[in-house]
Structure formats: structure tokens, C-alpha cells
RNA sequence: GGGCGCGUAGCUCAGUGGGAGAGCGCUCGCUUCACACGCGAGAGGUCGUUGGUUCGAAACCAACCGUGCCCACCA
């Protein structure tokens, strides 16, 4: 065994990940295995861009699953000898990061306004330098084989260059424009947010019915609203054009209570005749629908609630109140005027900010938008043509449906932390300059320039991730070697927010799709089926799991529980992984401590050797195929069951005597199987396999770059499989018989064989001697005739026989019923019918034998 | 309102047309010289309900019940 630390192998009977993982990871880093050369083409190489975690983030279970999947594929492809790059980096996460630092300021009694923009941004950078690498370190705990030497940040210099270039090009093409438009205003972050950052929640509100008198007429229009304070901004009342009740009123004016404004009564299809009274107050300044209707009819847009959530000067006597205060005051005033007809509880869905959790205030404001329709066209085509493959299949449809109805994207945010919009204004001559770099002076008049105050939506920069991280817009070797990336995986929640946008920008700017394959993985829920979330307190900390069970255990567990549907977090699966690491360690100890000093090679002497080699190679074929097709759960469970059942429960038990004898052939075969198994498992359980490999006599270098096994079909052996599976089946039947006949566990029973002799191991593993003589046969199990002996309790044996007879009679009856069915015999495939006939015959024979 | 899922052993989940599976838990027996994070043997499901298709349905179809998610501008 040479330099190998035999003592360590002998003494450690329990695998301890906490002792191994840090050390092994350091060896990988030292070896530079995660930092591939930027050579070759993207077709030859393998690359994955990590979904960049927020700099403010800590590793959560979603990252852990997402990372386990990517690492499995990256490691497998690295072992296949390809340049494998896993691009790592973090996202500046505008709102989240700004909030963290602002909170810190507030705790010290300060504010960002006090500090001023420049100093505040500097402070955020300082925060980032100090705490921003936390999550990167946590990915290392998971064992993620990212290229830590090529780490990127969505605000680093090169990235800014890419973002500005993209902005300018989109502007020049006319896709990016500035407009007063209704946006989702998040009072929490005091910024506009996009449609995708809004979530609708069911809320109990009060529905107020308010009477609006009609001018020059004694009729009254009753309108309903959950936000009476917005009536101050009403500029029309709408009815359905087909609503006969109001046909005569269209064209007249209603009078807005409290304010006295004349509101034209207009007809619009949008109004639902069935709802309420069928009359709808129109507030273009504060409701998205009303905004649309307003624009359509050319109505005035009056803003009565400002960006600070308080009523504006246009709200007259209510100016300065918060929206809630204004609501109470408006309701009171209406009641006093006798205009309030009804109040009733009303449940409806209301938009909330996904970022701050506050209720969205729809607001008209001046924002930058990006037209998406032209960008979407090619991004739809590549998915339709499967040039970007989305799996599982159903998400392809979801992607396409969304893309086909894509709407303009509000890309400006009223924050300080982020990519400040590359637009400069000249106050002197009102010139607007859009540029990739800060222009010195106004080109038109030479005046001072002032940059747009807003920053870009964080997702605007994330959308460039796969190529901006590789150096675009420069033509770098990395870009040539690794773009398009091979694979992307994510939870479905960012399919639109991120994935779709990368496809659009990749095609538009990098000239090709950003990745070939997208795998949408499941969501791991809390143990009770709720979402894992910080605010609910339902999160399970992956680092805690790693501390307790090890990274390999967590990785195995996550892959095993993941599937196409959402699943609850299962401690049992992680423990199964933990048990597997320990069993791998111990089975390896058995092999490594007892094998003779020989070269690993398949050297079958007996049927069981041919069997295990066949099973090994089939497992390699099957597990590889499952990993390639993103069926991670079945891949790891199949590897588990091969190792545990076939290799440990059966093969090792069968060959122990030969191994202890120091037989060369079985030693070579076991070392060979172990080497291939470790390599096969390495992508999913990297630490324990690397550690065990360090004790393997054939080791020349780290397992992380060991060739990934390719199934050797010449070792497939159906005959050996049938023989040994038959032997296993017989062994289990013999053991079961013993157990049910109350034979003491250690007792040796005698029997004779009537018919074809089973493999040698059957007797040994079931504690039977098959060369018994003289005594009476008392039972028969397959070809085995159990002979009477003092170890056997006659009554228990008789009882066991009765039970078996009963079983057989049931089986015979079932077979007869099935074969007696004319339809079955006539229409079922011949092979199926034949099989049934065979079974029936065997059961009848055994029953006859028992009498 | 539209779309997509899911309902299988006590628990968490596989299984997509030919006799119900895994892990955990449970029962019984094992200090068998790799591993008690182990070994051996068991118990435990009329596969949500009702109809239909089929020689044959957990699987395919329909309806219903329950449950989860996504999208959507009814005040």
C-alpha cells in the first residue's frame, strides 16, 4: 500500500465529514482544477453560469439544490476531460443591498439623504467588500467547483461597460424610451418596480358606494370603490356602451362630490354591466385600468397621491395626509354630505411589492422603458425550434405564452445603488445625451451635463450575465471558449425575470443563444409543506445540515428528493445520504485493507464476479444517462441501490472469504469496481469519494480530474445476472423459511439439492449445508430439500408448510382465473400469456410436491 | 377568470397499460472479525371518489371532491 496511511483506514470506523471537507476542498483549490484554460470552442467545452446570488444573500436551500445540480454536471464534464467552467459571481441586488446599508445608517441615526449620493454609494461598496463574499464562501462549503478565480460582480468595471453599451444600443434602436406612464410604485423602496416584482395578495377591504349627481338632471350615478381617497383625482365616470340604463346619460357630466369637478360620462367596453351599479369612476392618475381608459379617451390625469404616499396639493383640503388618513377624512366628508350610500366588506386581490412587502401605489411618473416585442421575436423562435431546450416540457409552453404577450419593461429605479442610467442632460440647451461613457461637456452648446438620477433595474444587468461575465463587449478568449454556455438551471420563479431576458439579450448582443439547455428544477418546501421563507421562519439552513451530516449527505439528499414536482424537505433523505457516505467509507476500508497488491482490473473467476461487473457497468450506463438527462433523483438512488444492495449486501458478503485469503483476482476486481464507483459518484458526492480515493493504490492524482467511467458493454452478462439473481432469490427464501420456522439465527441446517445446484454462496449465506445424509426431508424450497434435524422444531415447520400451501393455492387460483379468461388468452401478447402459463405450472408443481 | 400540477404504506415520495415500490418509522431476531449511520426476517396500501375505455387501469378518458403553484386590469 506504499505511502497510504493504513493506520488511519484501520482506526476510523465512522466517516467524519467535518474532518475531511475543508481539507479536501483546499486541495482542489490548490490544484487549480476549477480554473480551466480558455481554449477550444464552446462546442467542445462545458460551461455553466451560476444564477448570481445577491451580495446580501446567505446560502439557502434553493441555492443548495441549484448548486448541487450544477456541480454534478460540471464535475462530470470536467472528468470527461472537457474544459469545464462554472462561472461564479454575485449580483449587486439594488434594492436589497441599498436597504441593508440604509438600515445600518438608520440604526446610527443617519440617513442616505444626509450622507449624499456619492458618499452613500461609497459606503455600500465598503459594505460589499466586507460582507459581500459571505455567500461565495458558503458555496465552497457545499463543494461547488466554481471558478473562484474568475469571480464577477454585476457592478464591476467591465460589467458596467457591458451594461452601458447595451443601454446605448437599445436606445439607438428606439427600444428604450422615456415616458410618463403608470408604474407600480413601491412606497417601501420609494421606487418604481416592474410587473414581475409585484405579487397579488387577497386582501379584505371595504367597498364604498358613493353617489355622484348628474349635472342638469335629477339622476344619480352610484359608483363603487375600495379607495375613496382617489376620487379626488377622478376625471370621468364610465358606463358600458350597451348599458341601456345609462345610454341617455353618456355625454352629460357628473359632479364630483367634495370637489365639484365636472366629470364627463363616457362609454367604454371595459365596464362590466353586471358589477355593482354598472357605473365606474375613472381615476387615470391612480389606477392602471383607469389610466388605460383615460389615455384612450384623452382624459386629464390628476395626481393626488405623491411618491411619498401623501396627498398632493391637487387634493385640496386633504393635501399632506397619508393615504390612510385621507381615506378616513374623505369617507367622513362624504358621509356628512350624504353621498355615502353603502359600505360593505370586500375581498379582492391587491398588488404588493415583492421587494418591500408594501402595497403598490399605482402612480404616473417619468420613467425609462424598454420595448420588448422586437427582442422577444427571435427569443421565441429559438425556443420553438429547440435551439434553447427547456425541460421539463411544460415550462417551454409557459415561457412561450409569456413571451408572446410581453409588455414594455420599466427599467428605471429611483435608487442610488446600481448602474446609474447612462443618460446626461444639458440644462443649458435641453440636449439629451445617451453614451457609453461620461461625456465631458454638452456637444451642442458646451454646457455642463447632469446625469440621470435613476439607476437601472438590477435584472437589466443580470440579463447580460452569461456573456458579460465572459468579457463581452471585448472579444475575449473566454467568450470564444465558453459562449454559448451549455446549461442553465433555476427554479421557475425567475423564468421570466431572468431566463427569458438572457435569451433576448444573448441573441441581440452576443449573437447566439446564452445556453443550450434550461432545466427548471423543483422547489424544496419546508417540512410542513409551506414555502421556505425567512419571514415565515420556515427556512432550513443548508449550512446547518452540512455541519451535522456533511455536504455530500445534503447534496445526495437534495438530489434524491428533487423531482419535477415540488417536494417537502426530507430529513430522512439527507440521513440516507449520510448513511451512504459512512457505508462507502466502511466498504472501502474492507476492500482497501484486505486486497492484495494488484492492479485494478476486471478479473472474473466465478459467476458472482461476472455478475457484479455486469451490474457495475450497467449501473454506470444508467446513472450517466440519467445525469445527462437531468434525472438526478433516479440517478443517485440507482447508484445507491447498486452500491448498497448489489455490492455490499451481496457481492462483498459472497467474496469475503476469497478477499481474506488474499486472492489476486478478487482483489483486482474489487479495486477496479471501487475505482469506477468512486468516479461515478464523485459528481454528486465529491468529498467522500475524493477522500476514499486518496487511499486507493491506483491513485495517481485527484479524483476530481479522474476520467469519468464509460460503461464497458463487453462486461454485460445476462447469464451471470440470471444465475446470481436466482441464487439471491433462493438465499432470501431460505432465510425467510428459517425465520418463520423459528430456527435460531446461528444454527446450521442440513439439506440436499434436488435438481440444478445453486451458486456456491447460497448455502453459506443462508447457513445451510447441502450435503446432508440420512434424515427425512421435511420441507422443500426450490431445489433445496430441508432435512430433519435437532435444530428444527417439528411444529413450527409444519406451521410454515401450511402457510406456504395456502400461499400457493392462492397463486394457483389467480393464475387459473387469469388464463380462464378467454379475452386474455386471445388478446394479450403471446409472451404475457406464456409467462402466466409458466408461473401457474411452477406453482402447481410446488403445491403437488408439498401434498 | 385562464393555465399548470398534485392526491399511492404511519411519514416523505417513486412508479404512466400486464401480478403494488424506495427511504424513514414500526415489529421480531442478531455484540456474524467493513459499517448498530450496521446485518437478517416481517407487518403495513380496496393507489382521493364515481363513471367510462380495455381481455387487463394506480397508470388512459370524463366528472366530482380535496390541495398547491403560476398568469390575469372587474371597480
Amino acid at each position: 500500500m506504499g505511502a497510504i496511511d493504513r493506520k488511519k483506514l484501520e482506526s476510523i470506523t465512522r466517516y467524519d465529514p467535518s474532518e475531511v471537507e475543508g481539507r479536501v476542498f483546499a486541495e482542489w483549490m490548490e490544484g487549480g482544477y476549477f480554473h480551466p484554460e480558455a481554449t477550444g470552442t464552446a462546442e467542445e467545452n462545458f460551461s455553466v453560469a451560476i444564477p448570481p446570488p445577491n451580495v446580501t444573500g446567505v446560502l439557502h436551500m434553493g441555492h443548495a439544490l441549484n448548486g448541487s445540480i450544477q456541480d454534478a454536471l460540471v464535475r462530470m464534464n470536467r472528468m470527461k476531460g472537457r474544459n469545464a467552467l462554472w462561472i461564479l459571481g454575485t449580483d449587486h441586488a439594488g434594492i436589497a443591498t441599498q436597504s441593508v446599508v440604509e438600515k445600518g445608517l438608520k440604526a446610527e441615526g443617519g440617513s442616505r439623504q444626509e450622507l449624499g449620493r456619492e458618499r452613500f454609494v461609497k459606503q455600500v461598496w465598503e459594505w460589499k467588500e466586507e460582507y459581500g463574499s459571505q455567500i461565495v464562501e458558503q458555496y465552497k462549503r457545499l463543494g461547488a467547483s466554481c471558478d473562484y478565480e474568475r469571480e464577477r460582480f454585476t457592478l464591476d468595471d467591465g460589467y458596467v461597460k457591458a451594461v452601458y453599451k447595451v443601454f446605448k444600443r437599445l436606445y439607438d434602436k428606439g427600444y428604450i424610451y422615456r415616458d410618463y406612464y403608470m408604474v407600480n410604485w413601491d412606497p417601501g423602496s420609494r421606487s418604481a418596480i416592474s410587473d414581475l416584482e409585484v405579487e397579488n395578495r387577497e386582501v379584505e377591504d371595504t367597498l364604498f358606494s358613493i353617489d355622484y349627481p348628474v349635472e342638469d338632471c335629477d339622476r344619480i350615478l352610484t359608483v363603487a370603490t375600495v379607495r375613496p381617497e382617489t376620487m379626488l383625482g377622478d376625471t370621468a365616470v364610465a358606463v358600458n356602451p350597451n348599458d341601456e340604463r345609462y345610454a341617455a346619460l353618456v355625454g352629460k357630466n357628473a359632479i364630483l362630490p367634495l370637489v365639484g369637478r365636472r366629470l364627463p360620462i363616457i362609454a367604454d367596453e371595459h365596464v362590466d354591466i353586471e358589477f355593482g351599479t354598472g357605473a365606474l369612476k375613472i381615476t387615470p392618475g391612480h389606477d392602471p385600468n383607469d389610466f388605460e381608459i383615460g389615455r384612450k379617451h384623452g382624459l386629464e390625469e390628476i395626481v393626488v397621491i405623491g411618491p411619498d404616499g401623501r396627498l398632493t396639493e391637487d387634493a385640496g383640503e386633504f393635501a399632506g395626509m397619508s393615504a390612510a388618513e385621507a381615506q378616513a377624512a374623505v369617507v367622513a366628508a362624504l358621509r356628512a354630505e350624504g353621498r355615502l350610500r353603502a359600505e360593505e366588506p370586500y375581498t379582492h386581490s391587491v398588488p404588493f411589492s415583492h421587494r418591500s412587502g408594501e402595497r403598490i401605489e399605482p402612480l404616473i411618473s417619468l420613467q425609462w422603458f424598454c420595448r420588448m416585442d422586437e427582442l422577444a421575436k427571435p427569443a421565441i423562435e429559438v425556443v420553438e425550434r429547440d435551439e434553447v431546450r427547456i425541460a421539463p416540457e411544460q415550462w417551454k409552453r409557459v415561457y412561450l405564452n409569456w413571451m408572446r404577450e410581453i409588455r414594455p419593461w420599466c427599467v428605471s429605479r429611483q435608487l442610488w445603488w446600481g448602474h446609474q442610467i447612462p443618460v446626461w442632460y444639458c440644462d443649458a440647451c435641453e440636449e439629451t445625451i445617451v453614451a457609453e461613457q461620461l461625456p465631458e461637456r454638452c456637444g451642442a452648446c458646451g454646457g455642463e451635463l447632469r446625469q440621470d438620477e435613476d439607476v437601472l433595474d438590477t435584472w437589466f444587468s443580470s440579463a447580460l450575465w452569461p456573456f458579460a461575465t465572459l468579457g463581452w463587449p471585448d472579444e475575449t478568449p473566454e467568450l470564444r471558449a465558453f459562449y454559448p454556455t451549455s446549461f442553465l438551471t433555476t427554479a421557475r420563479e425567475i423564468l421570466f425575470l431572468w431566463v427569458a431576458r438572457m435569451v433576448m439579450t444573448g441573441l441581440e448582443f452576443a449573437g447566439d443563444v446564452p445556453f443550450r439547455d434550461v432545466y427548471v428544477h423543483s422547489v424544496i418546501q419546508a417540512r410542513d409543506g409551506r414555502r421556505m421563507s425567512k419571514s415565515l421562519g420556515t427556512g432550513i439552513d443548508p449550512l446547518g445540515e452540512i455541519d451535522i451530516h456533511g455536504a455530500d449527505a445534503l447534496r445526495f439528499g437534495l438530489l434524491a428528493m428533487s423531482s419535477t414536482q415540488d417536494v417537502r424537505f426530507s430529513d430522512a433523505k439527507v440521513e440516507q445520504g449520510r448513511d451512504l457516505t459512512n457505508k462507502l467509507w466502511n466498504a472501502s476500508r474492507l476492500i482497501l485493507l484486505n486486497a492484495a497488491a494488484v492492479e485494478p482490473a476486471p478479473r472474473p473467476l466465478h459467476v458472482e464476479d461476472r455478475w457484479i461487473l455486469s451490474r457495475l457497468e450497467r449501473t454506470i450506463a444508467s446513472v450517466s444517462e440519467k445525469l445527462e438527462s437531468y434525472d438526478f433523483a433516479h440517478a443517485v438512488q440507482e447508484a445507491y441501490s447498486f452500491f448498497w444492495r448489489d455490492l455490499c449486501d451481496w457481492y462483498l458478503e459472497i467474496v469475503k472469504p476469497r478477499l481474506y485469503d488474499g486472492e489476486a483476482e478478487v482483489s483486482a476486481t474489487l479495486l477496479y469496481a471501487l475505482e469506477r464507483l468512486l468516479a461515478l459518484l464523485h459528481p454528486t458526492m465529491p468529498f467522500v469519494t475524493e477522500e476514499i480515493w486518496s487511499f486507493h493504490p491506483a491513485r495517481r492524482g485527484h479524483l476530481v480530474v479522474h476520467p469519468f467511467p464509460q460503461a464497458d458493454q463487453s462486461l454485460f452478462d445476462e447469464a451471470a445476472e440470471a444465475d446470481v439473481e436466482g441464487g439471491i432469490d433462493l438465499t432470501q427464501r431460505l432465510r425467510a423459511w428459517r425465520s418463520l420456522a423459528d430456527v435460531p439465527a446461528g444454527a446450521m441446517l442440513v439439506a440436499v439439492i434436488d435438481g440444478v445446484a445453486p451458486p456456491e454462496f447460497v448455502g453459506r449465506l443462508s447457513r445451510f449445508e447441502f450435503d446432508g445424509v440420512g434424515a427425512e426431508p421435511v420441507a422443500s424450497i426450490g431445489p433445496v430439500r430441508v432435512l430433519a434435524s435437532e435444530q428444527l422444531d417439528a411444529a413450527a415447520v409444519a406451521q410454515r408448510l401450511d402457510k406456504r400451501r395456502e400461499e400457493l393455492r392462492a397463486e394457483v387460483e389467480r393464475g387459473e382465473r387469469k388464463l380462464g379468461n378467454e379475452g386474455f388468452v386471445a388478446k394479450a401478447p403471446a409472451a404475457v400469456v406464456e409467462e402466466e402459463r409458466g408461473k401457474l405450472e411452477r406453482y402447481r408443481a410446488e403445491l403437488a410436491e408439498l401434498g
Side-chain angles (χ1 to χ4, degrees):
Chain A
M1 275 182 95
I4 285 165
D5 189 348
R6 210 183 157 90
K7 266 207 189 111
K8 192 169 170 184
L9 261 187
E10 274 167 359
S11 61
I12 299 176
T13 60
R14 197 181 259 214
Y15 175 70
D16 176 12
S18 68
E19 189 274 323
V20 170
E21 292 178 356
R23 174 165 49 78
V24 166
F25 197 86
E27 286 173 26
W28 290 333
M29 290 295 281
E30 217 168 290
Y33 303 119
F34 303 161
H35 183 65
E37 297 275 317
T39 55
T41 66
E43 286 303 315
E44 300 158 355
N45 299 335
F46 187 84
S47 58
V48 179
I50 203 167
N54 287 2
V55 267
T56 57
V58 289
L59 197 77
H60 59 57
M61 213 45 94
H63 296 126
L65 171 62
N66 189 253
S68 299
I69 289 171
Q70 290 169 81
D71 201 35
L73 293 177
V74 170
R75 283 179 184 270
M76 178 171 71
N77 280 285
R78 183 183 296 117
M79 291 171 81
K80 285 181 174 175
R82 304 167 80 177
N83 279 332
L85 172 65
W86 187 3
I87 303 163
L88 172 76
T90 49
D91 190 297
H92 68 278
I95 294 173
T97 313
Q98 175 161 328
S99 314
V100 167
V101 177
E102 257 190 299
K103 233 176 249 169
L105 280 176
K106 217 173 258 173
E108 293 166 17
S111 73
R112 74 177 154 109
Q113 286 78 8
E114 237 168 71
L115 218 52
R117 182 169 193 150
E118 203 172 317
R119 283 168 62 198
F120 176 76
V121 168
K122 189 165 165 258
Q123 197 154 329
V124 182
W125 272 107
E126 282 164 11
W127 183 92
K128 187 258 170 189
E129 296 307 328
E130 189 161 348
Y131 303 106
S133 57
Q134 184 184 199
I135 194 159
V136 172
E137 292 307 308
Q138 292 171 337
Y139 267 98
K140 293 180 181 170
R141 291 287 315 280
L142 189 66
S145 65
C146 305
D147 187 348
Y148 296 91
E149 291 171 52
R150 284 193 175 97
E151 183 181 335
R152 295 301 302 268
F153 182 52
T154 56
L155 263 183
D156 62 32
D157 290 343
Y159 214 105
V160 173
K161 193 168 149 192
V163 168
Y164 278 18
K165 188 167 206 86
V166 165
F167 187 94
K168 170 129 174 64
R169 279 213 213 158
L170 290 173
Y171 180 85
D172 289 345
K173 283 191 112 167
Y175 295 170
I176 283 187
Y177 59 95
R178 201 178 192 211
D179 191 15
Y180 281 97
Y181 207 81
M182 174 140 297
V183 294
N184 305 299
W185 185 261
D186 174 9
S189 56
R190 297 247 177 137
S191 173
I193 59 177
S194 75
D195 294 342
L196 291 174
E197 293 164 298
V198 170
E199 60 174 326
N200 291 298
R201 290 189 212 154
E202 291 273 292
V203 162
E204 282 215 12
D205 266 327
T206 305
L207 186 64
F208 298 92
S209 297
I210 307 169
D211 289 342
Y212 286 17
V214 179
E215 192 179 42
D216 303 330
C217 142
D218 58 357
R219 291 190 59 181
I220 283 177
L221 281 174
T222 303
V223 298
T225 179
V226 291
R227 304 202 56 199
E229 69 277 19
T230 65
M231 70 175 282
L232 303 169
D234 282 6
T235 53
V237 175
V239 297
N240 190 286
N242 302 318
D243 194 336
E244 289 162 13
R245 294 171 295 177
Y246 302 119
L249 297 182
V250 174
K252 290 181 182 287
N253 291 308
I255 302 297
L256 182 60
L258 306 183
V259 178
R261 187 183 304 132
R262 297 169 74 215
L263 307 176
I265 298 169
I266 60 175
D268 194 284
E269 296 282 350
H270 170 80
V271 181
D272 182 352
I273 298 179
E274 306 292 318
F275 190 92
T277 60
L280 176 63
K281 77 191 222 9
I282 302 296
T283 320
H286 296 285
D287 182 277
N289 299 311
D290 295 4
F291 177 78
E292 300 283 345
I293 293 171
R295 288 257 159 133
K296 205 158 94 191
H297 295 267
L299 298 175
E300 194 184 349
E301 292 163 3
I302 300 178
V303 173
V304 294
I305 302 173
D308 57 356
R310 294 190 170 272
L311 283 272
T312 64
E313 292 306 314
D314 285 336
E317 59 183 295
F318 303 96
M321 292 184 188
S322 72
E325 290 162 354
Q327 176 170 121
V330 166
V331 169
L334 286 171
R335 191 175 286 129
E337 284 193 14
R339 297 295 181 193
L340 196 62
R341 173 163 295 238
E343 292 175 64
E344 50 200 314
Y346 183 67
T347 304
H348 64 145
S349 79
V350 171
F352 281 81
S353 164
H354 204 77
R355 304 290 151 218
S356 69
E358 293 204 23
R359 191 161 167 166
I360 292 297
E361 191 65 62
L363 207 74
I364 297 173
S365 63
L366 184 58
Q367 301 284 351
W368 288 96
F369 293 88
C370 184
R371 257 182 61 199
M372 304 305 289
D373 46 358
E374 290 299 323
L375 292 169
K377 276 181 196 161
I380 289 169
E381 284 169 20
V382 293
V383 169
E384 282 173 340
R385 290 199 300 256
D386 283 334
E387 288 166 37
V388 171
R389 289 175 292 268
I390 299 178
E393 186 85 22
Q394 69 242 40
W395 301 109
K396 174 177 172 177
R397 271 207 320 281
V398 173
Y399 170 98
L400 288 172
N401 287 341
W402 185 75
M403 289 289 269
R404 285 169 184 150
E405 283 170 36
I406 199 161
R407 300 171 61 175
W409 173 17
C410 174
V411 295
S412 47
R413 296 289 180 272
Q414 288 65 54
L415 305 172
W416 285 353
W417 176 244
H419 294 272
Q420 194 169 350
I421 290 182
V423 175
W424 288 264
Y425 308 102
C426 174
D427 290 327
C429 69
E430 299 195 346
E431 180 78 4
T432 295
I433 300 167
V434 177
E436 292 171 34
Q437 278 173 330
L438 167 67
E440 296 273 308
R441 299 245 144 211
C442 172
C445 73
E448 291 271 339
L449 291 174
R450 176 175 53 81
Q451 188 171 5
D452 195 295
E453 298 267 312
D454 289 351
V455 299
L456 287 166
D457 180 3
T458 301
W459 295 104
F460 190 92
S461 52
S462 326
L464 321 180
W465 186 246
F467 51 90
T469 47
L470 292 171
W472 188 93
D474 297 335
E475 289 214 7
T476 60
E478 279 81 7
L479 205 54
R480 268 195 304 277
F482 299 115
Y483 191 89
T485 65
S486 314
F487 172 79
L488 182 103
T489 184
T490 166
R492 59 186 166 269
E493 61 184 11
I494 53 175
L495 191 61
F496 307 142
L497 220 43
W498 190 49
V499 179
R501 288 167 178 169
M502 285 191 286
V503 178
M504 291 187 272
T505 61
L507 288 166
E508 177 75 18
F509 297 103
D512 202 344
V513 298
F515 28 71
R516 304 281 181 212
D517 274 272
V518 176
Y519 173 66
V520 180
H521 66 242
S522 53
V523 173
I524 310 281
Q525 301 167 328
R527 289 177 257 256
D528 60 5
R530 290 188 292 168
R531 296 179 74 88
M532 274 200 205
S533 98
K534 214 191 244 175
S535 53
L536 287 174
T538 47
I540 300 169
D541 178 15
L543 297 169
E545 296 296 311
I546 292 173
D547 287 339
I548 301 168
H549 301 303
D552 292 323
L554 178 64
R555 293 168 59 129
F556 174 92
L558 287 174
L559 293 178
M561 63 185 104
S562 82
S563 70
T564 53
Q565 66 161 315
D566 293 351
V567 286
R568 297 170 187 215
F569 184 82
S570 161
D571 296 287
K573 284 282 189 294
V574 179
E575 281 159 21
Q576 187 183 356
R578 191 254 342 250
D579 294 349
L580 175 57
T581 59
N582 188 58
K583 186 97 170 168
L584 277 168
W585 172 255
N586 279 297
S588 301
R589 285 175 62 226
L590 173 68
I591 295 168
L592 295 169
L593 287 170
N594 293 286
V598 293
E599 279 298 307
R603 291 172 65 186
L605 284 187
H606 303 283
V607 66
E608 57 263 30
D609 304 329
R610 298 201 304 277
W611 168 72
I612 198 67
L613 288 165
S614 181
R615 288 288 306 128
L616 171 69
E617 298 305 319
R618 282 195 205 280
T619 303
I620 288 169
S622 172
V623 170
S624 310
E625 192 270 319
K626 289 185 166 71
L627 288 175
E628 302 270 11
S629 56
Y630 316 132
D631 184 1
F632 302 99
H634 290 107
V636 296
Q637 306 214 60
E638 186 164 338
Y640 172 94
S641 105
F642 164 75
F643 167 69
W644 205 293
R645 175 191 177 269
D646 294 343
L647 189 64
C648 293
D649 288 352
W650 294 102
Y651 190 66
L652 288 179
E653 293 305 327
I654 291 169
V655 302
K656 261 180 190 173
R658 294 164 59 197
L659 181 61
Y660 289 142
D661 270 357
E663 184 197 292
E665 286 81 1
V666 80
S667 298
T669 300
L670 277 171
L671 290 171
Y672 174 81
L674 180 60
E675 175 174 353
R676 289 172 77 72
L677 179 67
L678 291 174
L680 181 68
L681 286 174
H682 184 263
T684 48
M685 310 186 81
F687 289 109
V688 67
T689 48
E690 185 74 79
E691 174 68 0
I692 294 169
W693 179 239
S694 75
F695 296 97
H696 197 289
R699 182 180 189 265
R700 299 291 172 270
H702 282 99
L703 188 62
V704 65
V705 287
H706 189 282
F708 193 75
Q710 234 194 327
D712 178 353
Q713 294 192 20
S714 72
L715 291 172
F716 289 4
D717 190 333
E718 271 174 48
E721 285 183 39
D723 285 354
V724 173
E725 299 293 344
I728 287 172
D729 181 63
L730 181 56
T731 305
Q732 287 179 317
R733 286 168 64 198
L734 291 170
R735 284 170 173 172
W737 185 88
R738 291 174 62 110
S739 184
L740 291 172
D742 278 335
V743 179
M748 194 59 84
L749 295 184
V750 285
V752 292
I753 298 297
D754 178 12
V756 183
E760 172 276 336
F761 65 83
V762 173
R764 187 155 44 84
L765 297 186
S766 57
R767 293 184 173 261
F768 269 87
E769 303 240 16
F770 289 145
D771 51 4
V773 279
E776 280 292 300
V778 294
S780 86
I781 298 116
V784 176
R785 304 285 168 268
V786 184
L787 302 183
S789 72
E790 57 197 31
Q791 311 278 14
L792 287 177
D793 172 355
V797 168
Q799 212 177 354
R800 170 71 237 207
L801 278 179
D802 282 343
K803 194 178 169 202
R804 181 62 185 158
R805 267 191 288 265
E806 233 169 86
E807 285 167 10
L808 287 169
R809 272 193 280 266
E811 293 293 358
V812 168
E813 199 195 324
R814 179 194 157 276
E816 283 173 344
R817 202 174 340 108
K818 193 149 195 179
L819 288 163
N821 179 345
E822 280 173 36
F824 174 72
V825 178
K827 295 188 180 173
V832 175
V833 177
E834 255 333 287
E835 205 187 314
E836 282 301 327
R837 288 211 172 102
K839 277 189 285 193
L840 180 58
E841 240 167 79
R842 281 197 299 280
Y843 291 131
R844 275 179 176 153
E846 189 181 342
L847 191 57
E849 212 172 319
L850 292 182

